[in-house]
Amino acid sequence: MPTKKPFTLYGRSGSGSLAVQVALEEIGVPFECVWGGREPPDSARYKEVNPTGRVPALVLPDGTVMFESAAILIHLALLNPDAKLAPQPGTTRHAKFLQWMIFLSANVYEAVLRIYYSERYSSRGEADSAVIREQGKADFLTHVSLIARSVNPYVLGAEYSIADVYLYMLSSWFPDKAELAARLPALAAHMDLLLTRPAVAKVEADHAARA
């Protein structure tokens, strides 16, 4: 029988590829990484893999390419139920899992983009960057304050899920870690808890080495 191809993850340090890499480590499947710097690896050719030109992108074993980190994480969780990265589909807890995954993607991730890529959000470019950046920070704090109310000690209560890794990753991108910890101590405790998971610690070390 032919050997099944591994997953291929396109990413870079400081990007949404961190959560996907953690998920792959958690489920224990073989995967390869294609890494780049601030821009995706070999950007022109990379758009043949992912037309958005952004990371992460995940090539599935059958050659299908996925992008959008939340969608990738949900797919991996459903594909590998034994890893328990999400509650059982059809349950109320799975409904809450989907709610927070979409909330994080549509709101928190978007606020982060305005913090770090503020010039993209105005036709005047850098002229409006400072205002856009500050609003992005304010919106980020508003959004994570909402989800932080549910953290006890995980997003879904006592049950760990890949939503925790997604929240951890996005929280780690906030520019002022001291301010975040002071405002939301539950979120700071959540980040410390996530670092005790071997998969998270391993991927963080890998990203630090690649940076």
Side-chain angles (χ1 to χ4, degrees):
M1 292 181 64
T3 303
K4 199 172 187 180
K5 290 184 179 180
F7 292 85
T8 301
L9 173 62
Y10 288 83
R12 62 176 175 82
S13 297
S15 78
S17 55
L18 183 142
V20 177
Q21 191 176 349
V22 170
L24 292 167
E25 290 284 354
E26 292 274 20
I27 64 182
V29 294
F31 67 95
E32 299 172 352
C33 289
V34 179
W35 235 240
R38 182 172 174 81
E39 295 300 321
D42 200 357
S43 295
R45 288 176 55 194
Y46 177 63
K47 285 191 176 181
E48 297 176 10
V49 176
N50 177 5
T52 72
R54 298 178 181 179
V55 293
L58 184 68
V59 183
L60 307 182
D62 69 356
T64 300
V65 179
M66 286 191 73
F67 54 89
E68 295 297 336
S69 54
I72 295 170
L73 294 173
I74 292 168
H75 174 71
L76 290 175
L78 292 174
L79 190 63
N80 300 271
D82 290 345
K84 298 182 178 179
L85 297 184
Q88 183 179 352
T91 63
T92 300
R93 293 184 68 75
H94 192 264
K96 295 295 287 186
F97 166 75
L98 292 176
Q99 169 194 285
W100 288 125
M101 289 296 292
I102 300 305
F103 177 84
L104 287 167
S105 176
N107 296 288
V108 182
Y109 209 131
E110 189 276 339
V112 169
L113 292 178
R114 281 187 281 132
I115 294 171
Y116 289 101
Y117 301 100
S118 52
E119 70 281 357
R120 296 178 182 175
Y121 290 83
S122 171
S123 60
R124 302 198 312 156
E126 289 290 343
D128 296 322
S129 286
V131 173
I132 293 170
R133 190 178 302 115
E134 288 307 308
Q135 188 61 54
K137 290 179 182 178
D139 290 344
F140 179 97
L141 291 169
T142 297
H143 297 321
V144 292
S145 295
L146 179 59
I147 194 170
R149 299 175 197 170
S150 297
V151 173
N152 185 30
Y154 299 112
V155 170
L156 299 178
E159 184 178 349
Y160 168 81
S161 73
I162 202 63
D164 290 291
V165 178
Y166 204 25
L167 174 60
Y168 165 86
M169 178 185 74
L170 294 172
S171 299
S172 72
W173 293 347
F174 190 71
D176 191 333
K177 305 298 187 299
E179 179 184 2
L180 189 65
R183 290 193 180 209
L184 299 167
L187 199 59
H190 177 264
M191 294 180 71
D192 290 341
L193 178 62
L194 264 285
L195 273 173
T196 66
R197 292 194 69 85
V200 176
K202 180 180 179 180
V203 172
E204 281 285 23
D206 181 52
H207 278 234
R210 294 175 186 269

